[in-house]
Amino acid sequence: RVWCQVCGVPDHAVDLIAASRAADSMYTEWRRMHRTGLRREQVARRSLYERTQLFKVYVSTVMPGLIQTPAYANALMSAITTFQGTPDDVEAAVRARMERNRVLRSVNHQFVMLLEESVLRYRIGDAEVMAGQLGHVLNLIPLPNVRLGIIPFSASQRDMWTLEAFTAFDDARVHVELLSAQVTVTAPGEVVIYLRAFERLTALAVYGAQARALISDAISALG
């Protein structure tokens, strides 16, 4: 803080302090995180999920982990394990994820989830797995603590482009998922950028009956 004051930029202190504190965990390679398999990560994140009251989730490729069915999670985690060449503990990891995901049913947690329509169409697992997953998403729409929006392919005047998946925890911390690593953002100046993007994406999404219609169309397209 003193250094920023001396340099005449006191407003930079908060971001620099946050970046310094998070330096060791800011960029974590998946292969390092998954060196003993996928289960460890699911268990490690449980406390963060339990203490978070407001989740904001955006995805453009696969279903958010919070709303995955066991079959969908198994198919996805099996693909990740094969691609990364890490130890195969998929069955245990799926059980740990389902245990962690109990927060979705808690009235003490609020969830705002935005899915690009492409997520409904990309097939993870076979048609049966996808049908079960999409049916599960339909059942989540009425939950009072969940606001689920779908950004349709037909969204007009799009002023926010498709982004990498990210989750904001209580508007104070953001996890960004890259192919090779997870980026943890805690500097307030950076967090606000993701929150601003999320708000713009929220305006592009459809909800309720319109969202259900898109999900139902995706189910029908499975044949």
Side-chain angles (χ1 to χ4, degrees):
R1 292 182 188 279
V2 172
W3 176 252
C4 287
Q5 189 71 37
V6 170
C7 293
V9 287
D11 54 317
H12 288 197
V14 174
D15 281 356
L16 287 173
I17 290 169
S20 178
R21 287 175 174 168
D24 289 341
S25 59
M26 187 179 297
Y27 184 94
T28 308
E29 290 183 277
W30 293 119
R31 64 178 182 178
R32 175 186 167 191
M33 197 179 297
H34 299 160
R35 63 184 180 276
T36 61
L38 301 181
R39 178 184 176 277
R40 183 168 172 265
E41 175 199 352
Q42 305 304 311
V43 174
R45 291 189 181 189
R46 185 169 174 176
S47 61
L48 172 62
Y49 279 64
E50 289 177 344
R51 68 175 181 267
T52 297
Q53 294 183 312
L54 174 62
F55 295 79
K56 292 180 179 178
V57 184
Y58 167 81
V59 292
S60 57
T61 54
V62 299
M63 291 286 173
L66 278 164
I67 63 173
Q68 290 174 8
T69 63
Y72 186 99
N74 189 288
L76 179 59
M77 289 181 170
S78 294
I80 292 171
T81 296
T82 300
F83 181 77
Q84 294 180 348
T86 48
D88 185 350
D89 65 345
V90 170
E91 289 187 9
V94 170
R95 288 195 298 271
R97 172 164 289 185
M98 296 304 110
E99 182 72 20
R100 183 198 70 185
N101 288 357
R102 289 184 179 181
V103 298
L104 196 66
R105 301 290 177 173
S106 171
V107 295
N108 296 323
H109 303 274
Q110 297 294 316
F111 304 85
V112 184
M113 300 186 184
L114 301 178
L115 284 62
E116 295 282 353
E117 186 177 352
S118 54
V119 175
L120 310 179
R121 302 286 181 163
Y122 293 146
R123 292 197 183 187
I124 302 296
D126 58 23
E128 183 179 358
V129 170
M130 281 303 300
Q133 176 63 63
L134 292 169
H136 179 59
V137 176
L138 278 175
N139 292 333
L140 294 175
I141 290 178
L143 293 181
N145 63 330
V146 175
R147 187 183 186 211
L148 192 143
I150 309 294
I151 302 174
F153 291 133
S154 60
S156 60
Q157 298 181 336
R158 183 160 185 158
D159 62 354
M160 195 68 233
W161 56 94
T162 303
L163 302 174
E164 62 281 354
F166 66 88
T167 301
F169 302 86
D170 286 330
D171 288 352
R173 172 191 184 105
V174 176
H175 287 178
V176 185
E177 297 184 12
L178 308 180
L179 175 62
S180 59
Q182 173 186 283
V183 177
T184 300
V185 179
T186 56
E190 291 186 68
V191 170
V192 74
I193 294 174
Y194 282 93
L195 297 179
R196 186 165 71 245
F198 192 86
E199 288 306 308
R200 292 194 177 190
L201 291 163
T202 298
L204 297 172
V206 296
Y207 305 86
Q210 289 178 289
R212 285 194 292 272
L214 290 175
I215 297 168
S216 296
D217 286 346
I219 294 174
S220 297
L222 292 172

